[in-house]
């Protein structure tokens, strides 16, 4: 990538937002345990090096207004990425992601063990179990690891990086990481992102987002404690606590 880009500086209020483990996080829709190297659509190339860097901005925390601008641009880029492959070529794989998410839940709940109470496990089972009832979810080519550390920002323009997890799937799955971390504290960034994306989530996608987040929490609590990873564990606990209180994201 041309120029000296610096990573977007994430907020420091929550450990989940500064979690370096996201680069190898197993908690992905469909129950995948490791990244799968997939060829990105040709459109992905236009998201690399989209703007020239400003070296003087390195290490700075952005203002709230500029941060909203960055997320709005990120939404625009993600929509173009999702639209790069649509229709019958990707819908079957999106349906498979839903099936695998539901099928893999009990395995994650078993591994999570005492890190989930009976009430919590039943809640996650209820939320994820209703996922197929959402019907066919809008499909596209997913980024696969969409969160702030994979957004680069030079003070004026935003670009996306790290496409190694890109693959077909339900579009809503790309919003899980932001929804379970950043958006809980900063709903204005959710608003900005969907302004850029060009449409809000449908009612079915809103429920699917909650269901995918529930599955992600189970996976995080199956993985984090076993691997001594307090950040992943904390992210899972926070999602469960929120779902217990609110019933949805």
């Amino acid at each position: 990538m041309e120029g000296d880009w610096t990573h977007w500086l994430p907020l420091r209020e929550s450990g989940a937002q500064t979690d370096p483990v996201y680069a190898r996080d197993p908690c992905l829709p469909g129950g995948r345990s490791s990244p799968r190297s997939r060829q990105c659509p040709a459109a992905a190339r236009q998201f690399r090096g989209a703007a020239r860097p400003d070296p003087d901005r390195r290490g700075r925390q952005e203002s709230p207004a500029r941060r909203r601008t960055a997320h709005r641009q990120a939404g625009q880029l993600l929509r173009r990425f999702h639209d790069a492959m649509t229709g019958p070529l990707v819908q079957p794989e999106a349906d498979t992601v839903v099936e695998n998410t539901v099928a893999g839940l009990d395995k994650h709940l078993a591994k999570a063990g005492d890190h989930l109470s009976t009430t919590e496990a039943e809640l996650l089972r209820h939320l994820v179990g209703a996922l197929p009832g959402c019907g066919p979810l809008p499909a596209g080519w997913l980024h696969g690891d969409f969160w702030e550390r994979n957004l680069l920002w030079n003070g004026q323009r935003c670009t996306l990086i790290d496409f190694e997890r890109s693959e077909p799937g339900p579009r809503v799955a790309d919003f899980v990481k932001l929804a379970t971390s950043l958006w809980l504290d900063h709903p204005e960034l959710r608003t900005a992102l969907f302004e850029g994306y060009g449409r809000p989530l449908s009612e079915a996608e809103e429920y699917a987002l909650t269901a995918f987040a529930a599955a992600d929490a189970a996976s995080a609590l199956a993985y984090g404690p076993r691997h001594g990873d307090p950040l992943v564990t904390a992210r899972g606990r926070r999602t469960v606590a929120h779902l217990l209180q609110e019933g949805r994201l």
Side-chain angles (χ1 to χ4, degrees), residues 26 28-33 96-112 116 124-125 128-129 131-132 211-212 214-220 222:
L28 299 169
R32 300 190 301 277
S33 59
T96 298
V97 169
V98 170
E99 294 170 3
N100 290 344
T101 299
V102 176
L105 180 66
D106 282 338
K107 177 184 69 175
H108 295 313
L109 293 178
K111 289 183 178 180
L116 284 168
L124 299 185
R125 189 174 285 111
V128 176
L131 185 56
F212 280 127
D216 177 82
S219 180

Side-chain angles (χ1 to χ4, degrees), residues 1-3 5 47-53 154 156-159:
M1 183 182 296
E2 179 183 356
W5 284 81
F47 304 135
R48 298 186 173 101
R52 296 188 64 82
N154 72 347
Q156 295 180 322
R157 297 282 297 277
C158 178
T159 193

Side-chain angles (χ1 to χ4, degrees), residues 200-223:
L201 296 179
S202 68
E203 183 177 352
E205 287 175 307
E206 287 283 4
Y207 186 87
L209 181 63
T210 295
F212 280 127
D216 177 82
S219 180
L221 292 172
Y223 177 89

Side-chain angles (χ1 to χ4, degrees), residues 1 38-50 77-85 141-144 150 158-167:
M1 183 182 296
R38 301 288 295 268
Q39 182 178 1
C40 299
R45 291 193 293 271
Q46 66 188 298
F47 304 135
R48 298 186 173 101
L77 293 174
L78 187 65
R79 178 64 181 269
R80 290 161 62 188
F81 200 79
H82 285 172
D83 287 347
M85 185 177 292
W141 192 274
L142 304 186
H143 178 279
N150 286 334
C158 178
T159 193
L160 307 183
I161 61 169
D162 290 352
F163 300 98
E164 60 265 24
R165 286 177 173 163
S166 295
E167 64 177 4

